[in-house]
Amino acid sequence: MMRRPTLILTVGLPCTGKTTAARRIERERRALRLTKDEWVKALYGHENPPSAQDVIEGRLIQIGLRALDLGTNVVIDFGLWSRAERSALRQAAADLDAMVEMRYFELSAAEQRRRLDRRQAKAPDTTWPMSDEELAEWAATIDIPTPGELDGSEPIDDPPAGFATWNEWRAHRWPPSVF
């Protein structure tokens, strides 16, 4: 009997421990780890263009979904701040008969800043400068997962207005190119 693959979603703001956990999950669960920041850094260096981020996320999601379809566990390490993003990925996994686990990472603003400062001092090539204002703005915009979303007991939402399916929404949210 073949075991169903699992899509593991890491949810949280920068410097809350997502990538550290994703690396551990990668080893422990023999999962394909897809970390957007590593790809953006490799392709753009010190730049962090928003349009490229969306395309890179979309390409990594396509790879992740293909890996799930082939029976491989996948860990998505993006942050996934919106409930719609998480719902779209939960539905994509369900369409492939894969399981989903969601991990939410949260820290105080002071601890988040301390970790960011430490990362910028020790490994500046792995991150970008972030101001306290940006961190506060992002903290105000994240859709914190509900307990039912985290444990999978809550049904997946319908796609947003204007989209017939989550696949259609995913293609809009994560465009295939920057052009």
Side-chain angles (χ1 to χ4, degrees):
M1 180 181 231
M2 196 164 160
R3 187 180 164 144
R4 290 170 51 198
T6 302
L7 176 64
I8 301 113
L9 306 175
T10 62
V11 180
L13 295 168
C15 298
T16 56
K18 296 180 309 298
T19 300
T20 299
R23 287 181 179 132
R24 186 183 67 250
I25 293 165
E26 173 185 40
R27 289 186 311 274
E28 293 173 356
R29 304 283 293 276
R30 298 182 49 88
L32 173 63
R33 178 177 56 88
L34 300 169
T35 300
K36 174 193 68 175
D37 289 351
E38 291 174 356
W39 285 85
V40 174
K41 276 292 192 180
L43 294 169
Y44 293 96
H46 296 296
E47 299 299 315
N48 192 9
S51 61
Q53 287 185 43
D54 293 345
V55 172
I56 290 169
E57 284 182 10
R59 294 295 175 157
L60 292 176
I61 288 167
Q62 288 175 337
I63 292 167
L65 295 178
R66 179 67 179 132
L68 281 175
D69 195 34
L70 293 171
T72 301
N73 294 327
V74 174
V75 58
I76 300 284
D77 178 25
F78 294 175
L80 302 169
W81 296 354
S82 82
R83 182 178 173 103
E85 291 170 327
R86 300 186 302 265
S87 293
L89 294 174
R90 289 174 64 203
Q91 184 62 59
D95 292 346
L96 295 171
D97 196 32
M99 298 184 296
V100 176
E101 293 177 16
M102 194 177 305
R103 314 268 176 99
Y104 176 57
F105 299 85
E106 182 178 32
L107 289 175
S108 69
E111 178 62 14
Q112 185 184 18
R113 170 49 65 191
R114 189 183 71 70
R115 287 184 180 191
L116 177 60
D117 291 345
R118 184 176 64 216
R119 184 189 301 172
Q120 286 178 327
K122 289 184 177 183
D125 59 315
T126 66
T127 192
W128 294 271
M130 294 174 230
S131 69
D132 288 340
E133 293 76 23
E134 287 172 314
L135 293 174
E137 178 185 329
W138 298 333
T141 62
I142 189 172
D143 293 329
I144 296 171
T146 64
E149 190 182 7
L150 287 168
D151 71 16
S153 65
E154 206 168 282
I156 299 169
D157 298 335
D158 290 332
F163 297 95
T165 67
W166 278 113
N167 284 341
E168 185 182 318
W169 184 88
R170 275 197 341 261
H172 173 78
R173 167 62 184 89
W174 292 296
S177 71
V178 293
F179 305 105

